[in-house]
Amino acid sequence: MWDRLWINLNIATMMPATDASDDPYGCIHDAAIATSGSRIAWIGARADLPAAPDTLAHTVIDGHGHWMTPGLIDAHTHIIYAGDRSTEFEKRLNGVSYTEIARQGGGILSTVTNTRAASEDTLLSLAMERAQRMIRAGTTTIEVKSGYGLTLEDELKQLRVARRLGEVLPVYVHTTFLGAHAFPPEYVDRQDDYVSLLIDVVLPRAAAEGLVDSVDAFCENIAFGPAQVRRLFDRAMELQLPVRIHADQLSDTGGGSLAAQYRALSADHVEYVSEAGVMDMAQAGTIAMLLPGAFYFIREKHAPPVALFRRHGVAMGLATDCNPGTSPATSLTAIMNMACTLFRMTPAEALAAVTRIGARGLNLQDSTGRLATGMMADMAIWNVSGPHELSYWIGGLTPITRIFHGVPDAT
């Protein structure tokens, strides 16, 4: 027998449409879905069940006509940090420049200072609070980056916390090494030496300890240059680690094309990516991971080229980019609304971006992000009129039930 069987619900499977006229949500009305262990064992119309529900499963659950979707996937976050930068928001609105805030001890280096000073247990407690907000909003998979330590021990500390986060919460955690996030004050005049430290010491150690699922870098004119990023990515390739990249957020540095050269899982932000970069990404199968929370928060005016992504067949993902400086966001449904209103994505594109495509961005497409037999049973049930409504509310929308690996969340 199956462990659990849900009946009397509607399901947005998020299976890819095979024809332009197909339903982009892959809907099954008056559906049923069964789980065995952590996997989906059966899915289809309730009328097609092979026998009476109570003879098929140990537990039968009435969905009361609600909508089920895959659990949401947040494929770009920076949730492991200490310190508070909310006062910087007020200062900026009162006319204080980012440069002046940095001179006053604020900015990313203030987060680095506070994160270095915090213990693993403190960082875990803080990260759990943020992750629990994400879970309440329907997220079942979270990518978590390092990048606020910028020393060997502090980067390892962040990555260990990320691994522990996936052990103490039901959410699945994908860990990303982002030592190339900023230059630490100790290396401000020795930038290439810092890159060498990452390549020769920090990344190999983190990989050897099993703490890294992918490698990221912030490629921008205020951060790491393309040549420095190539050095890091070459080392990642030697260690057989996939890469992703913060690319073309503030200017066109060729980050999209650079991502394509390494067949990066995703190029993130990409507001300024060129058409040539988009075409390279399309050929490489690199996802454009759009981050409207940061776009909104820093009041950016140059939107990512969504029309070009559509024209050239580049899949678009969405993520919160949750971080203390530019995107204090934890709700993926709020991000979906921003993507629709600010970037003119459709609700169907937005939901695919945080399910099926988000899974691709973490190399998890064979296990999550869609509802089909054999897939991981990470799911959410919503009291909505249809899957389009997930992009309608400006935050605040939460599922009435979250299912992790086939087990309903008790919280």
Side-chain angles (χ1 to χ4, degrees), residues 31-43:
I33 185 168
T35 61
S36 289
S38 61
R39 301 279 174 172
I40 297 171
W42 191 93
I43 183 171

Side-chain angles (χ1 to χ4, degrees), residues 6 10 16 19 21-22 113 123 127 134 169-170 214 254 275 289 292 299 310 364 370 373 391 396 399:
W6 282 264
N10 304 295
D19 185 86
S21 63
D22 287 350
T113 298
L123 289 175
M134 295 173 165
L169 294 177
S214 62
E275 184 165 12
M289 192 64 65
R299 296 186 287 182
R310 290 183 183 131
L364 296 173
R370 297 171 289 130
T373 301
S391 295

Side-chain angles (χ1 to χ4, degrees), residues 161-195:
V161 170
R163 284 285 189 244
R164 289 176 64 189
L165 194 65
E167 295 168 357
V168 298
L169 294 177
V171 71
Y172 178 86
V173 173
H174 172 107
T175 60
T176 297
F177 173 75
L178 183 57
H181 189 197
F183 290 102
E186 303 90 341
Y187 285 86
V188 68
D189 296 318
R190 299 183 293 131
Q191 295 182 352
D192 285 337
D193 289 344
Y194 178 64
V195 176

Side-chain angles (χ1 to χ4, degrees), residues 11-85:
I11 299 177
T13 67
M14 299 315 296
M15 295 295 289
T18 57
D19 185 86
S21 63
D22 287 350
D23 171 14
Y25 299 104
C27 293
I28 306 174
H29 296 274
D30 192 11
I33 185 168
T35 61
S36 289
S38 61
R39 301 279 174 172
I40 297 171
W42 191 93
I43 183 171
R46 176 164 52 161
D48 294 333
L49 282 168
D54 58 1
T55 68
L56 294 171
H58 295 290
T59 303
V60 179
I61 303 167
D62 189 337
H64 300 289
H66 296 312
W67 277 89
M68 175 183 281
T69 69
L72 307 185
I73 297 170
D74 198 341
H76 182 129
T77 84
H78 305 253
I79 62 172
I80 298 178
Y81 65 88
D84 175 22
R85 287 169 61 188

Side-chain angles (χ1 to χ4, degrees), residues 216-290:
D216 197 350
F218 184 18
C219 185
E220 191 52 75
N221 52 23
I222 62 170
F224 293 78
Q228 293 169 327
V229 173
R230 285 192 184 92
R231 291 180 59 201
L232 178 65
F233 283 3
D234 285 342
R235 186 66 172 121
M237 294 295 101
E238 291 173 2
L239 295 169
Q240 298 184 314
L241 293 169
V243 300
R244 55 187 3 96
I245 184 171
H246 286 60
D248 301 334
Q249 178 186 8
L250 306 173
S251 62
D252 178 12
T253 61
S257 294
L258 177 58
Q261 291 172 21
Y262 289 88
R263 297 196 174 274
L265 295 174
S266 66
D268 301 20
H269 289 290
V270 290
E271 282 91 336
Y272 285 85
V273 66
S274 66
E275 184 165 12
V278 172
M279 294 172 69
D280 288 341
M281 289 169 61
Q283 187 172 11
T286 295
I287 289 168
M289 192 64 65
L290 310 184

Side-chain angles (χ1 to χ4, degrees), residues 372-390:
T373 301
M375 298 293 284
M376 191 66 69
D378 287 345
M379 307 174 291
I381 300 177
W382 312 81
N383 183 13
V384 293
S385 59
H388 62 280
E389 192 177 339
L390 299 182

